[in-house]
Amino acid sequence: MLFYYQLFIDNLNASPDQDTLMDRIDAMRTFVTVVNEGTFTRAADRLGMSPQLVSKYVSQLEQHLAVRLLNRTTRKLHLTEAGTSYHLRAQQVLNDIDDMESELGDLQREARGMLRISAPVSFATRHMAPLLSEFQSANPGVGIDLQLNDRKVDILEEGFDIALRIGHLKSSSLIAKRIAPVRLVLCASPAYLKEHGTPQRPENLRNHRYLRYSYMALDASQAVHRWLQSSGRDHGSDMVSNNGDVLVEAAIAGAGIALQPTFISGSAIKEGKLQVVLPEYEPEPMALYAVYAHRQLLASKVRSFIAFSDGFFGDPPYWDHFE
């Protein structure tokens, strides 16, 4: 907010013929939208104005700041060093303004309407029913349309308000709110380990069958991941599936070693059906995120769901209470 405050002070000190603070905020919002959308044309569509006016706003902002923010070519826009720094701070200022205005508006608006959510199959099947039930009890004006899919949906194209995603999210124009940590553990049945031996070091994994989740990208910087994808392993004997529940059930049946999140495997570990392997080499945790498209004019139903989800599962979440 210090940057916003400085803009306000600058405006107070400005002469009458200079831009107003609102004009400057509009120019700031236009610049941020251009960067997020990648072109003046897409930014114009997003803002409901002409590309010429978008270009004018950005040029006026550069003139006011006396620095070039964008290098323009016929096909691409490139942020300058100053533009990169300004974009980060301007985005935060606009987020603060949007949050403040939305919070004030929410005091007089009840969350209403159909909330469309995309969520991973296994997580939603096991853990989302209580969350949705309690959320609707607290917000009776909101309907829920929950679609389960492990692929990465396009929120805008497919008409979702929120997508729940698990992983290490890469930077994008989408907004992501961390909901809960997600641990990954290697696990196998006691019977399998008794027959094939318990790995003591990551390199011992070359002698075991891997039950692989097809949507999981392995990170070669982590020892367990590196050995699971090593060319020294016989990958032809692996089992591959796009559903984690199937792989966990296969591990319980003695088919091999699975690398799965504890929100799927935790109950089987607690019951002794699975045993954690190489706990000292546990991969870096991921997280469950609520991802949505825009902070601007964020619907109360979306804001309410995100706030309600925050901390709902606990930290650590209840599914990790097996140790």
Side-chain angles (χ1 to χ4, degrees):
M1 291 301 289
L2 288 176
F3 186 63
Y4 178 44
Y5 176 77
Q6 186 60 54
L7 282 176
F8 181 71
I9 295 300
D10 288 347
N11 187 71
L12 289 179
N13 294 331
S15 60
D17 60 342
Q18 288 183 296
D19 294 336
T20 66
L21 179 59
M22 288 303 296
D23 289 336
R24 211 167 300 165
I25 291 175
D26 287 341
M28 183 192 302
R29 193 179 298 280
T30 302
F31 167 73
V32 168
T33 304
V34 168
V35 175
N36 291 344
E37 294 295 329
T39 69
F40 281 84
T41 301
R42 287 202 295 267
D45 291 340
R46 172 70 60 194
L47 295 168
M49 61 177 69
S50 68
Q52 292 77 15
L53 184 55
V54 169
S55 179
K56 179 180 178 182
Y57 266 124
V58 174
S59 296
Q60 288 178 344
L61 185 61
E62 289 178 323
Q63 292 171 12
H64 169 74
L65 296 170
V67 65
R68 180 172 289 279
L69 301 173
L70 292 169
N71 286 321
R72 305 155 175 83
T73 66
T74 55
R75 293 192 175 185
K76 276 195 170 184
L77 300 174
H78 300 278
L79 281 169
T80 64
E81 182 178 359
T84 299
S85 176
Y86 186 86
H87 175 255
L88 291 173
R89 299 183 69 181
Q91 181 72 76
Q92 185 58 57
V93 170
L94 295 172
N95 290 345
D96 289 340
I97 293 172
D98 291 341
D99 285 348
M100 177 182 63
E101 292 180 348
S102 294
E103 287 168 9
L104 291 174
D106 282 348
L107 293 175
Q108 300 181 25
R109 288 196 305 271
E110 179 185 357
R112 307 192 65 83
M114 183 62 66
L115 182 66
R116 297 200 70 226
I117 304 171
S118 171
V121 177
S122 295
F123 180 83
T125 302
R126 290 171 174 261
H127 303 290
M128 282 198 68
L131 168 62
L132 298 178
S133 177
E134 293 186 31
F135 173 72
Q136 283 195 297
S137 294
N139 299 272
V142 178
I144 300 292
D145 179 0
L146 176 66
Q147 300 294 318
L148 306 189
N149 204 315
D150 287 333
R151 68 178 174 82
K152 187 177 179 181
V153 301
D154 187 315
I155 294 177
L156 295 177
E157 287 291 329
E158 299 180 50
F160 287 103
D161 297 300
I162 296 173
L164 297 184
R165 291 181 181 167
I166 295 169
H168 303 288
L169 295 193
K170 299 178 181 179
S171 60
S172 73
S173 60
L174 300 175
I175 311 299
K177 170 66 177 177
R178 182 180 180 273
I179 300 300
V182 173
R183 285 178 61 189
L184 286 173
V185 295
L186 277 172
C187 53
S189 70
Y192 174 87
L193 296 175
K194 182 178 180 179
E195 180 179 353
H196 298 279
T198 301
Q200 302 300 315
R201 297 184 59 80
E203 51 264 38
N204 299 147
L205 293 172
R206 62 159 59 105
N207 303 316
H208 290 270
R209 180 181 292 117
Y210 175 37
L211 312 180
R212 181 166 66 86
Y213 179 57
S214 56
Y215 288 149
M216 183 183 297
L218 296 180
D219 180 0
S221 67
Q222 301 190 55
V224 163
H225 288 194
R226 187 164 57 252
W227 281 99
L228 287 175
Q229 64 183 351
S230 168
S231 58
R233 286 188 59 256
D234 179 12
H235 295 270
S237 65
D238 288 350
M239 180 186 296
V240 183
S241 175
N242 64 353
N243 182 268
D245 283 291
V246 170
L247 296 174
V248 166
E249 290 301 319
I252 292 172
I257 295 179
L259 178 63
Q260 283 293 308
T262 52
F263 66 73
I264 301 178
S265 59
S267 59
I269 295 170
K270 186 175 183 178
E271 295 168 7
K273 297 177 181 178
L274 290 176
Q275 180 178 324
V276 176
V277 177
L278 297 174
E280 63 273 29
Y281 293 96
E282 183 174 309
E284 179 184 348
M286 301 186 296
L288 171 70
Y289 294 91
V291 179
Y292 51 103
H294 301 288
R295 284 180 181 267
Q296 297 176 13
L297 302 179
L298 188 63
S300 183
K301 62 183 179 181
V302 177
R303 186 178 299 279
S304 297
F305 181 80
I306 293 168
F308 194 88
S309 302
D310 189 14
F312 181 86
F313 300 108
D315 194 354
Y318 64 82
W319 54 74
D320 278 343
H321 297 169
F322 57 80
E323 297 175 322

